C-alpha cells in the first residue's frame, strides 16, 4: 500500500513537471526566474507542496505555479534579504541562528548600514530615518468588524442620526433602572395634589436626576482632547440574574466650545442609547444611558464608538444643525474612542450601583459609604495595575536572561571553534 502511494506521488510530480515545462515555460520563460524553474525540476518536495495545496489536481497546481512564479520574479524573492542596522545585542544570537541555516540561506542575507542600503533600495522608497525621501507614514486601519452604526432608540431603530432625546425620556429610563436595581416597588404618589403642581414636578425631576447619576457611577476616565469619557475602556453590564441590565457613560466637555458627539455600536439592533446624538456645553457633563434592547444578551464582541467634534460658537445645536455639522466636519477633526462590553455577575469596580432602599439611613451616611467604597475599589484597581507591571518586568527579565545566555554560549562556541 505504501509502495503504491509512493508510485502515484512520483507520477503526479513527473506529470506536473512535464506539463508545466511544455505548457508554461515555453511561452512564459521571460516571466519566471530561472532559479525557480531549475528548482522545480530538481526539488520533489517543492513540487509536492504545490500539489498538496491543490489536493493533487494537476490543472489547479499548474495554475498556482504560474501565478506563484510570476509573483516571485516581480518581487525578487530570490534576491538578497537586506537587514538594516541590526542591533549589536543581536549579533551574538545571530551567530547561533546562522549555524542553523544552510550556506544557501546565509548567502541571501546582506547586512547594511544607512549608506549601503541605497545600493539595494532606491532613495524614493526609503523613509527619512534610513536616508530616503519617502514621506509615507503607517496608520492603523480599522478592524474588519468595526462596523459601527447608530443604535436603537426607545421605539426601535433610529431612521436618521438626529435623535434629540428629551429630559422626560431620560428620567423615565432612570426610573425603570432604579426599580430594577432596587427590586422594590416605588411608593405610590399621594392622591391629593398640592396647588403648586409645577413646583412638585420640579422637585421630583431633581430627585430622579440625582438617582440617575447615582445608579451607576463610572470610576475610570479616558482623558481625550475634547471629552473626558468614563468609563475609560469597558462598559460593565450585569447578568440577567443580577438584574443590572443598564450602564452609564459620562462625557465631560474639557474645551471652551460646544462639542457635538455621536454614540455608535457594532450591534445597533441590540442596544438602546440615550442620547446617541447630541452636544455638550463647555465644562458641562452629559450622562448617556446604555441598555440592551428587549432582553438581548450582552456579548464581549460588542463595542461602542464615541465620536466627538468641536463646534463653532455661532453654530446651533438643534437636530438639523447637528446633521449638517456631521456632514461637513473633516474626519481629521473628529475624536474617536472605543469601548468594549463586559458582563459581570455582580457590581464591577468601574460601575457602582447604589440601592435606594435605605429609608432609615441619612443622606450623609450614604454619601460616606459611597466614598469609602470608591476608595476601596480604586485601591483594588491600583493593585491590579501593580500586578500587571510586575508580570511585565518578570517577562522582560526572562528575555534579557535568554539573550545573555545566548551571548555566553556563542562566546564559548567561538572561543573553542
Amino acid at each position: 500500500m505504501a509502495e503504491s502511494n509512493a508510485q502515484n506521488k512520483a507520477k503526479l510530480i513527473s506529470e506536473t513537471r512535464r506539463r508545466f515545462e511544455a505548457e508554461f515555460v515555453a511561452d512564459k520563460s521571460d516571466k519566471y526566474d530561472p532559479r525557480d524553474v531549475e528548482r522545480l525540476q530538481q526539488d520533489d518536495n517543492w513540487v509536492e507542496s504545490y500539489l498538496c495545496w491543490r489536493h493533487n489536481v494537476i490543472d489547479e497546481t499548474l495554475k498556482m505555479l504560474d501565478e506563484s512564479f510570476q509573483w516571485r520574479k516581480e518581487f525578487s524573492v530570490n534576491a538578497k534579504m537586506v537587514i538594516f542596522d541590526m542591533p549589536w545585542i543581536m549579533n551574538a544570537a545571530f551567530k547561533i541562528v546562522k549555524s542553523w541555516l544552510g550556506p544557501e540561506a546565509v548567502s541571501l542575507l546582506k547586512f547594511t548600514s544607512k549608506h549601503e542600503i541605497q545600493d539595494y533600495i532606491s532613495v524614493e522608497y526609503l523613509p527619512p530615518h534610513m536616508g530616503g525621501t519617502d514621506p509615507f507614514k503607517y496608520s492603523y486601519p480599522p478592524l474588519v468588524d468595526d462596523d459601527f452604526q447608530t443604535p436603537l432608540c426607545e421605539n426601535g431603530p433610529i431612521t436618521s442620526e438626529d435623535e434629540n432625546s428629551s429630559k422626560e425620556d431620560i428620567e423615565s429610563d432612570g426610573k425603570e433602572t432604579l426599580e430594577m436595581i432596587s427590586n422594590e416597588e416605588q411608593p405610590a404618589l399621594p392622591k391629593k395634589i398640592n396647588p403648586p403642581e409645577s413646583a412638585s414636578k420640579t422637585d421630583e425631576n431633581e430627585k430622579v436626576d440625582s438617582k440617575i447619576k447615582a445608579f451607576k457611577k463610572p470610576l475610570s476616565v479616558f482623558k481625550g482632547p475634547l471629552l473626558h469619557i468614563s468609563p475609560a475602556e469597558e462598559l460593565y453590564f450585569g447578568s440577567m440574574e443580577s438584574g443590572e441590565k443598564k450602564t452609564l457613560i459620562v462625557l465631560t466637555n474639557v474645551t471652551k466650545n460646544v462639542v457635538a458627539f455621536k454614540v455608535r455600536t457594532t450591534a445597533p439592533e441590540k442596544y438602546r442609547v440615550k442620547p446617541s446624538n447630541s452636544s455638550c456645553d463647555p465644562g458641562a457633563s452629559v450622562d448617556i444611558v446604555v441598555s440592551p434592547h428587549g432582553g438581548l444578551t450582552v456579548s464581549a464582541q460588542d463595542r461602542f464608538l464615541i465620536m466627538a467634534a468641536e463646534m463653532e460658537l455661532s453654530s446651533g445645536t438643534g437636530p438639523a444643525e447637528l446633521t449638517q455639522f456631521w456632514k461637513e466636519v473633516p474626519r481629521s477633526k473628529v475624536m474617536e474612542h472605543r469601548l468594549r462590553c463586559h458582563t459581570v455577575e455582580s457590581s464591577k469596580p468601574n460601575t457602582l450601583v447604589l440601592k435606594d432602599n435605605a429609608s432609615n439611613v441619612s443622606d450623609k451616611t450614604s454619601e460616606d459609604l459611597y466614598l469609602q467604597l470608591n476608595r476601596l475599589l480604586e485601591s483594588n484597581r491600583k493593585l491590579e495595575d501593580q500586578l500587571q507591571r510586575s508580570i511585565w518586568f518578570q517577562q522582560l527579565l526572562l528575555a534579557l536572561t535568554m539573550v545573555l545566555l545566548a551571548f555566553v554560549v556563542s562566546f564559548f562556541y567561538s572561543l573553542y571553534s
Side-chain angles (χ1 to χ4, degrees), residues 5-6 31 39 42-43 50 83 105 108 147-148 229 243-244 265 274 283 286 324 335 363 375 393 399:
N5 291 336
K31 295 184 179 180
R39 181 183 177 187
Q42 298 177 357
D43 192 343
Y50 279 95
I83 301 177
L108 295 177
D147 184 18
F148 291 96
I229 302 174
E244 300 172 37
T265 178
K274 293 184 180 183
V286 175
Q324 189 65 25
M335 168 192 142
D363 294 338
R375 295 191 188 99
F393 279 119

Side-chain angles (χ1 to χ4, degrees), residues 225-362:
L226 303 180
L227 296 175
H228 286 183
I229 302 174
S230 184
E233 297 180 355
E234 289 187 335
L235 292 177
Y236 287 92
F237 294 85
S239 63
M240 298 299 292
E241 293 77 10
S242 64
E244 300 172 37
K245 299 178 183 179
K246 303 186 181 183
T247 190
L248 189 70
I249 303 175
V250 180
L251 308 181
T252 303
N253 186 351
V254 294
T255 70
K256 296 181 180 180
N257 296 320
V258 176
V259 172
F261 67 87
K262 290 196 299 185
V263 182
R264 314 196 80 178
T265 178
T266 55
E269 74 287 347
K270 187 183 294 185
Y271 296 96
R272 294 183 300 173
V273 178
K274 293 184 180 183
S276 63
N277 183 18
S278 186
S279 61
C280 185
D281 294 332
S285 296
V286 175
D287 296 338
I288 301 175
V289 179
V290 182
S291 58
H293 182 70
L296 297 176
T297 304
V298 176
S299 171
Q301 305 300 324
D302 300 338
R303 289 192 301 280
F304 283 82
L305 172 67
I306 298 175
M307 304 173 62
E310 200 169 3
M311 304 180 70
E312 297 180 358
L313 294 176
S314 58
S315 302
T317 57
E321 289 83 357
L322 287 174
T323 301
Q324 189 65 25
F325 171 77
W326 285 113
K327 289 180 180 179
E328 298 175 352
V329 63
R331 186 65 182 268
S332 59
K333 295 185 178 181
V334 178
M335 168 192 142
E336 295 185 352
H337 183 66
R338 289 168 171 79
L339 295 171
R340 300 185 299 270
C341 294
H342 191 74
T343 305
V344 291
E345 294 299 327
S346 59
S347 297
K348 195 71 176 176
N350 281 12
T351 53
L352 183 62
V353 180
L354 295 181
K355 297 184 178 180
D356 187 31
N357 59 356
S359 57
N360 58 344
V361 180
S362 65

Side-chain angles (χ1 to χ4, degrees), residues 16-31:
T16 300
R17 284 173 174 161
R18 185 190 66 79
R19 289 188 56 183
F20 188 75
E21 182 73 25
E23 300 176 15
F24 292 88
V25 176
D27 299 331
K28 299 183 179 180
S29 59
D30 59 329
K31 295 184 179 180

